[in-house]
């Protein structure tokens, strides 16, 4: 077993993603394998649609027909996931699953690291990375959900609003 669990992509029957997720979670719980199969995810995004003049918000699957599983790859964990009702197989050549790279996991937004900052509105900050590095400004708005700040930076003699991630700034 490797020291870190990896994310694997599992192909399912279309429309059965949530059932597969529930089935895997139930099997893991029944067999006491919470330390081998750590997390099962069906990536979704919130979509707002306007129909008949009414706004409706719903969850839309980002990758229909796929479930993402974080697990340690063992013969037993492979067997359990592969033989879950609704699963057609792992993504990878033949029967050998290929884990997602850290870059792929980050881009897909599966594993979001929540940063906590001690910055408040009207605080002065310095930009420490990105195209506005070394600029100084003050915080106008904080968006915890998107992990970003709206900062007014003095550029070319006028205040310019810029959106920055928490990791790009430090408090002065």
């Amino acid at each position: 077993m490797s020291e870190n669990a990896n994310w694997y992509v599992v192909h399912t029957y279309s429309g059965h993603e949530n059932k597969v997720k529930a089935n895997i979670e139930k099997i893991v719980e029944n067999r006491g394998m919470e330390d081998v199969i750590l997390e099962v995810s069906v990536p979704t995004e919130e979509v707002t649609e306007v129909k008949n003049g009414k706004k409706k918000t719903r969850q839309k699957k980002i990758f229909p027909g796929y479930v993402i599983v974080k697990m340690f790859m063992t013969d037993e964990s492979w067997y359990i996931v592969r033989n879950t009702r609704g699963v057609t197989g792992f993504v990878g050549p033949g029967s050998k699953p290929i884990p997602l790279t850290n870059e792929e996991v980050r881009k897909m937004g599966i594993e979001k690291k929540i940063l906590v900052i001690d910055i408040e509105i009207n605080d002065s900050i310095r930009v420490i990375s990105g195209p506005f590095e070394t600029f100084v400004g003050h915080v106008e708005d904080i968006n915890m959900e998107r992990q970003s700040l709206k900062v007014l930076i003095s550029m070319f003699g006028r205040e310019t609003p810029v959106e920055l991630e928490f990791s790009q700034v430090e408090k002065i």
Side-chain angles (χ1 to χ4, degrees):
M1 235 190 309
S2 66
E3 60 189 53
N4 290 329
N6 290 309
W7 286 96
Y8 294 90
V9 180
V10 178
H11 190 264
T12 68
Y13 295 132
S14 187
H16 287 73
E17 300 87 353
N18 292 326
K19 289 177 192 165
V20 167
K21 178 182 190 278
N23 288 341
I24 292 173
E25 288 172 343
K26 192 173 189 175
I27 292 168
V28 166
E29 184 183 328
N30 290 343
R31 292 194 180 200
M33 294 184 66
E34 292 89 351
D35 57 336
V36 180
I37 300 175
L38 307 175
E39 195 176 336
V40 184
S41 174
V42 178
T44 59
E45 63 184 348
E46 206 169 86
V47 177
T48 305
E49 298 173 336
V50 179
K51 207 172 198 179
N52 298 331
K54 295 179 184 174
K55 275 189 177 180
K56 266 193 171 176
T57 304
R58 67 178 184 91
Q59 293 293 320
K60 178 184 172 201
K61 292 179 183 87
I62 299 172
F63 307 110
Y66 294 96
V67 173
I68 318 296
V69 181
K70 184 174 189 175
M71 63 187 219
F72 292 100
M73 186 55 70
T74 64
D75 289 343
E76 188 180 10
S77 64
W78 178 88
Y79 181 83
I80 286 171
V81 173
R82 176 67 186 85
N83 291 299
T84 300
R85 183 184 305 254
V87 171
T88 60
F90 281 94
V91 172
S95 62
K96 183 167 176 11
I98 303 292
L100 293 172
T101 64
N102 290 338
E103 180 73 12
E104 289 169 331
V105 171
R106 190 180 58 75
K107 281 184 178 176
M108 290 167 69
I110 300 168
E111 240 177 12
K112 290 193 168 125
K113 295 207 178 359
I114 304 295
L115 295 176
V116 179
I117 56 167
D118 64 340
I119 296 175
E120 296 176 13
I121 293 175
N122 293 326
D123 282 353
S124 293
I125 57 96
R126 174 181 293 112
V127 182
I128 56 173
S129 70
F132 302 105
E133 192 171 350
T134 71
F135 279 80
V136 175
H138 65 275
V139 179
E140 191 174 75
D141 188 36
I142 301 173
N143 187 334
M144 293 304 285
E145 190 175 295
R146 293 182 61 195
Q147 299 275 296
S148 67
L149 304 166
K150 186 183 275 185
V151 179
L152 288 178
I153 293 177
S154 181
M155 209 179 329
F156 308 120
R158 61 173 71 176
E159 297 275 292
T160 306
V162 177
E163 190 167 320
L164 300 166
E165 294 177 2
F166 288 174
S167 60
Q168 293 181 290
V169 300
E170 68 180 3
K171 190 173 180 178
I172 299 178

